[in-house]
Each structure stands twice: as structure tokens, then as C-alpha cells.
């Protein structure tokens, strides 16, 4: 049974400045979402992509992606007011027989196909939850509400976590059901951790960078130009 990938793409992208919803902003002339879905659909182990689109752009997104997915099945649903809700909405569109579900942010348009395959393989080898992670360059400090440092975790033990995150489908369903609709975590592994399941980290990729601020778009353009030679 091929894996399904949920793509939350309903964010406004306010940190990127004024304009269209983030997933529809252009990178090298095409929306971020088109790049992301093209990469996911190119992964041999992926059979279904479910996009959670801005509620007022569901038809627009369906039309935009129709020619991008090839033989991979595509569903487009309306997203919600927060990322977790958008993932919950997309998860409801996954058939019960699908056993592996990935979640990938539309805001990571240049995810390598090899990373998608590595995450699926790690779930299929028995891990209930898998996240790509990369070591940090910066030292990270935890601060209190007044901006005073509370602690400095040892950097060697920290990972910046990316998507796609992969899950045994029943584990992801249970995690979203337990969250009960309120936003309680900024990623899906965070919900699974709350249920006490182990989450395995596999090596992430610099190309899976998240487009959040304007400088990230400049970097993504450079990565793409490098690939195109
Ligand atoms: O806001 P942030 O950059 O962390 O969003 C991560 C992903 O979640 C993006 O792909 C964004 O479109 C998506 N999102 C969503 N629904 C929301 C907010 C964010 O699908 N309400």
C-alpha cells in the first residue's frame, strides 16, 4: 500500500510580508506549493497527496496541481485556522487502508525525493514516528517572559527538525484525536510525543529548508538555480 502525504498549505505567511497565502507565493516563477507537491509526487513510495488549501482557494489549488502530480492521486481540502487543524482536516481524507502517512509543509518546496523515501523506509522498518533533523549552527537558549536566559541546552544534543515527518497511520490518527482540536504542538511529532511513542530522527537535508522570511526565498532561489546548473 503506497504512503499518503498530507501537505498543510493554508497559512497566511505573514512573516514573508504582504501578499498571497505563503504556499501560493512564487519561487522561480511557480508557487511554493507546486514545487513541494511535484517533489512528493515524484517519490516512488507516495501514492496519494492531500493538500489543505486556504479555504477560499480550494478550487484554485486543485486546478494548479492537476498537471503536477502525474499518476499520483490528489485530494484538496479546506485548511483550518492553525497548522495542526489543517493537518487534521487533510488526515480525514486519507482512506482507512493507508498504513503510512507523511506530513510535509508546503513551505519546504525543495525537499529532496531521497529524503521522502528515507522517511517512508524508516517508518516501514518499524518506527512509529520519524522526523528529519539537522544539527544546529547557533547556540540555543531558553528564555523567560522577560527575555532572561533560563538555560542553555547542550547544542550537540539538539536538532532542528524538518518535514516530511512520517508516521504509522494509526499513531498519527490517535495523536490528532488526543489533541482534541486545540493547537498544542507546532509539529506532528510533538503530538505523537505527548502519547509517549518514540520518535526516531533521521538525517535531514539543507535543501528541505523552510521558507518563512524573505531571506529564505533568496536562499531557495539559489538552491534551485544550483540544481538547474
Ligand atoms: O506558519 P508556518 O510557516 O509554521 O507553517 C507551516 C506550514 O503549515 C505551511 O506550509 C503553512 O501553509 C501551513 N499552515 C496551514 N494552516 C494554517 C497555518 C499554517 O496549513 N492555518
Amino acid at each position: 500500500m503506497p504512503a499518503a502525504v498530507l501537505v498543510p498549505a493554508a497559512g497566511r505567511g505573514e512573516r514573508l510580508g504582504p501578499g498571497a497565502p505563503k504556499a501560493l507565493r512564487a519561487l522561480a516563477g511557480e508557487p511554493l506549493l507546486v514545487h513541494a507537491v511535484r517533489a512528493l509526487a515524484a517519490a516512488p513510495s507516495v501514492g496519494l497527496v492531500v493538500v489543505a488549501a486556504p479555504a477560499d482557494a480550494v478550487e484554485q489549488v486543485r486546478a494548479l496541481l492537476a498537471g503536477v502530480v502525474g499518476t499520483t492521486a490528489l485530494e484538496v481540502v479546506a485548511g483550518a485556522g492553525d497548522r495542526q487543524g489543517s493537518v487534521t482536516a487533510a488526515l480525514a481524507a486519507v482512506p482507512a487502508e493507508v498504513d503510512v502517512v507523511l506530513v510535509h509543509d508546503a513551505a519546504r518546496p525543495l525537499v529532496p525525493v531521497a529524503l521522502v523515501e528515507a522517511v517512508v523506509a524508516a517508518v516501514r522498518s518499524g518506527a512509529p514516528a520519524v522526523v528529519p533533523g539537522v544539527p544546529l549552527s547557533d547556540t540555543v537558549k531558553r528564555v523567560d517572559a522577560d527575555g532572561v536566559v533560563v538555560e542553555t541546552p547542550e547544542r550537540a544534543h539538539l536538532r532542528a527538525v524538518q518535514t516530511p515527518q512520517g508516521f504509522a497511520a494509526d499513531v498519527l490518527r490517535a495523536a490528532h484525536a488526543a489533541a482534541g482540536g486545540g493547537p498544542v504542538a507546532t509539529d506532528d511529532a510533538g503530538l505523537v510525543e505527548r502519547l509517549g511513542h518514540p520518535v526516531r530522527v533521521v538525517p535531514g537535508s539543507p535543501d528541505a529548508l523552510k521558507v518563512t522570511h524573505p531571506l529564505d526565498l533568496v536562499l531557495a532561489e539559489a538552491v534551485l538555480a544550483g540544481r538547474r546548473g
Side-chain angles (χ1 to χ4, degrees), residues 8-12 15 22-23 52 80-83 86 105-107 210-212:
R12 303 305 312 169
R15 288 170 290 180
K22 179 161 71 177
D82 55 73
R83 181 191 180 281
S86 294
D105 290 330
K210 184 174 174 194
V211 175
T212 303

Side-chain angles (χ1 to χ4, degrees), residues 8-206:
R12 303 305 312 169
E14 276 153 12
R15 288 170 290 180
L16 208 48
K22 179 161 71 177
L24 302 179
R25 307 268 185 116
L27 166 65
E30 288 187 306
L32 295 176
L33 179 62
V34 168
H35 290 275
V37 170
R38 185 182 289 126
L40 297 168
S45 60
V46 172
L48 169 66
V49 174
V50 185
V51 176
D56 59 358
V58 170
E59 286 310 320
Q60 181 191 351
V61 165
R62 205 170 272 142
L64 191 64
L65 296 176
V68 171
V69 287
T71 57
T72 304
L74 172 71
E75 294 275 352
V76 183
V77 302
D82 55 73
R83 181 191 180 281
Q84 186 181 308
S86 294
V87 174
T88 305
L91 187 55
V94 175
E97 62 269 24
V98 172
D99 56 348
V100 174
V101 178
L102 272 56
V103 184
H104 181 67
D105 290 330
R108 299 183 189 270
L110 301 182
V111 58
V113 171
L115 181 58
V116 180
E117 293 298 291
V119 170
V120 173
V123 177
R124 292 217 181 277
S125 75
V130 176
V131 299
V134 291
L136 298 179
S137 308
D138 296 320
T139 294
V140 172
K141 305 213 181 266
R142 196 161 70 80
V143 296
D144 66 16
D146 297 321
V148 177
V149 171
V150 176
E151 69 164 332
T152 305
E154 196 181 328
R155 189 171 61 188
H157 291 167
L158 298 176
R159 296 290 179 272
V161 165
Q162 306 172 323
T163 70
Q165 300 189 349
F167 306 91
D170 53 347
V171 168
L172 186 62
R173 284 202 179 89
H176 275 263
V184 294
T186 51
D187 73 346
D188 296 279
L191 298 182
V192 168
E193 289 156 40
R194 287 164 53 92
L195 297 189
H197 293 290
V199 176
R200 185 190 298 173
V201 180
V202 297
S205 165

